[in-house]
Amino acid sequence: MPTFEPAHDDLLRTLAPQVVALLTRRWGDFTAAEDAVQEALLDAATQWPAQGVPSNPRGWLVQVASRRMTEQVRSEQARRRREELVAGQVPADRRSAPGVDAGDESARDDTLTLLFLCCHPVLSPASAIALTLRSVGGLTTGEIARAFLVPEATMGQRISRAKQRIKASGVPLRMPDAAEWPARLDAVLHVLYLIFNEGYASSAGPELRRVELSQEAIRLTRAVHTLLPDDAEVTGLLALMLLTEARGPARTGPDGELVPLAEQDRSRWDASAITEGVALITAALPRGPVGPYQVQAAIAAVHDEASTAAQTDWPQILALYGVLARISDNPLITLNRAVATAMVDGPTAGLALLADPPPALAGHHRLFAVRGHLHELAGDPESAVADYRTAAHRTASLPERHHLSLRAARLAERTGN
């Protein structure tokens, strides 16, 4: 997604997938719609700062992107067959002239439908998730690559291939029937989870949080929960998001600096979100079978129900991470489990779990950040300073870099290093 003025970024990230979905439904070509919307977003990035945001920004994007698609069709003779196909699919009374929106059509939000389209079974789970993060979540290729712990070039190729497979399949933009949901649901939930994580803890840039992303993930997860209210993992994911986002206001200080969980002012946590999240996970767990989102929500609930950091039930959290490690192969679980182990059995035991980390974590900044924290707890400031500095060098998040550098500097000052 292009880079915009901060004042426009949140709005455009929300509108982009809606416009892609609308044009896909209208024209029958997801790939062309996605490309046209990207061009419209570039136009918005150029024009809106100078001319102001239009009164109907969504309609503006629909008009500009529709014009781009019309130009593509007219300029390529080879697309005449596609043009005829689209004309046959769209009823005459719903066709519109180039650049003119079709009345109430632009008010329809097809984001959830686009989400299910991108998670179509013709794609591998990894490709479906990557494509959806790009088209629905508005994440950049670099952000998606960091979420998957792979090189950016690899992720770019994966997204390109996924778009071509969707185009070749000719699948229409529609909500799948109930019988089709199971084949797509795992990818849908994983996408929503990653969009939320990128919003709650941005992987790059000057801001610690991107609230528009986490809120959009919660909105879409609520919509999926409405469709599947009895699915325990859908409920667990919604609970996890609410229980985690509830701490958001306390995660930053007055100047936007990162505030670790143990140091947060818990009176700033969102009590209503915690109440809702606890109720959801309490209802979901007995339904079974227990999945990773439910377990993570249960861990989040234990944290949120502790009135102070000292009152956190770490043995229960450690036991839950043991369950999570058996049902999920996410390498980041290793880091969280090491912290929980350190809080129960001491920092040396936690460091022992990180002696041979999963290959995907080998150069990840979070590995060094956790090791630095555990070395600090173990009374080894020199090792802690070295790990904090390495973590600061490797993270692309400016607030995280500042926090880690400051922590290293304070330790070095105290020890004379």
Side-chain angles (χ1 to χ4, degrees):
M1 188 168 184
T3 301
F4 306 102
E5 293 291 326
H8 304 150
D9 188 65
D10 293 1
L11 174 63
L12 288 167
R13 283 186 182 277
T14 300
L15 293 179
Q18 299 176 21
V19 178
V20 170
L22 187 153
L23 294 183
T24 302
R25 175 161 45 83
R26 181 186 292 179
W27 292 82
D29 189 331
F30 165 74
T31 301
E34 221 259 351
D35 291 343
V37 170
Q38 289 298 310
E39 292 187 29
L41 293 173
L42 288 171
D43 287 348
T46 302
Q47 298 178 32
W48 289 12
Q51 302 174 8
V53 178
S55 58
N56 181 4
R58 176 171 165 155
W60 188 96
L61 289 172
V62 170
Q63 287 186 339
V64 173
S66 295
R67 200 175 301 128
R68 294 289 184 274
M69 292 195 72
T70 302
E71 291 168 357
Q72 292 172 24
V73 172
R74 289 176 174 172
S75 65
E76 298 182 29
Q77 294 298 320
R79 293 198 177 186
R80 284 186 175 179
R81 285 181 295 179
R82 169 188 169 278
E83 196 170 23
E84 293 169 358
L85 174 62
V86 171
Q89 289 178 340
V90 180
D93 61 355
R94 291 182 57 195
R95 297 176 196 165
S96 56
V100 178
D101 187 32
D104 292 339
E105 187 182 26
S106 67
R108 174 173 167 178
D109 185 355
D110 283 318
T111 309
L112 189 62
T113 307
L114 182 62
L115 177 64
F116 275 91
L117 171 70
C118 291
C119 293
H120 196 277
V122 297
L123 302 178
S124 68
S127 295
I129 291 165
L131 177 62
T132 313
L133 288 171
R134 171 75 163 73
S135 298
V136 179
L139 273 63
T140 66
T141 304
E143 290 166 347
I144 300 169
R146 286 189 287 273
F148 277 81
L149 306 179
V150 300
E152 184 172 344
T154 300
M155 186 53 63
Q157 293 172 356
R158 185 179 299 175
I159 292 171
S160 178
R161 287 195 299 266
K163 289 171 66 174
Q164 292 304 315
R165 290 206 67 183
I166 286 285
K167 181 177 181 179
S169 71
V171 294
L173 180 69
R174 63 170 179 81
M175 278 299 291
D177 298 330
E180 299 175 279
W181 287 342
R184 309 190 194 192
L185 190 58
D186 284 349
V188 166
L189 296 184
H190 195 174
V191 164
L192 294 172
Y193 176 74
L194 292 175
I195 292 174
F196 176 83
N197 284 346
E198 181 61 29
Y200 187 75
S202 299
S203 60
E207 302 296 331
L208 182 65
R209 302 171 63 208
R210 290 159 64 181
V211 178
E212 82 285 355
L213 282 181
S214 54
Q215 291 298 319
E216 179 68 358
I218 291 173
R219 182 183 76 85
L220 291 171
T221 305
R222 283 192 186 279
V224 177
H225 184 251
T226 299
L227 290 173
L228 301 169
D230 298 324
D231 188 289
E233 272 291 80
V234 173
T235 305
L237 179 58
L238 179 57
L240 172 62
M241 290 180 179
L242 292 170
L243 291 164
T244 305
E245 184 69 6
R247 306 179 208 134
R251 287 190 71 232
T252 54
D255 299 319
E257 68 274 18
L258 185 155
V259 181
L261 178 62
E263 301 171 19
Q264 290 176 14
D265 177 1
R266 300 189 177 210
S267 68
R268 296 181 62 198
W269 288 2
D270 186 339
S272 62
I274 293 173
T275 298
E276 182 183 1
V278 168
L280 285 168
I281 190 57
T282 301
L285 284 172
R287 296 177 193 160
V290 175
Y293 300 122
Q294 295 168 72
V295 178
Q296 290 179 77
I299 293 170
V302 176
H303 279 297
D304 287 9
E305 290 182 314
S307 57
T308 66
Q311 293 177 340
T312 303
D313 189 346
W314 283 107
Q316 183 179 357
I317 290 175
L318 179 58
L320 288 168
Y321 271 120
V323 173
L324 188 57
R326 289 193 294 271
I327 62 178
S328 175
D329 60 355
N330 185 337
L332 294 179
I333 292 172
T334 303
L335 296 180
N336 293 326
R337 190 182 183 191
V339 173
T341 298
M343 300 305 293
V344 175
D345 299 324
T348 302
L351 285 166
L353 290 180
L354 301 180
D356 186 22
L361 284 179
H364 200 282
H365 79 277
R366 294 197 186 281
L367 171 64
F368 294 97
V370 169
R371 281 177 40 180
H373 175 58
L374 297 187
H375 279 304
E376 184 177 358
L377 291 177
D380 183 359
E382 290 186 5
S383 296
V385 168
D387 280 331
Y388 282 144
R389 286 174 174 167
T390 301
H393 177 71
R394 297 192 178 205
T395 182
S397 165
L398 297 184
E400 280 193 347
R401 183 179 302 167
H402 176 75
H403 171 75
L404 292 164
S405 298
L406 185 61
R407 207 165 187 104
R410 288 172 176 170
L411 266 180
E413 183 179 357
R414 288 204 299 266
T415 59
N417 293 321

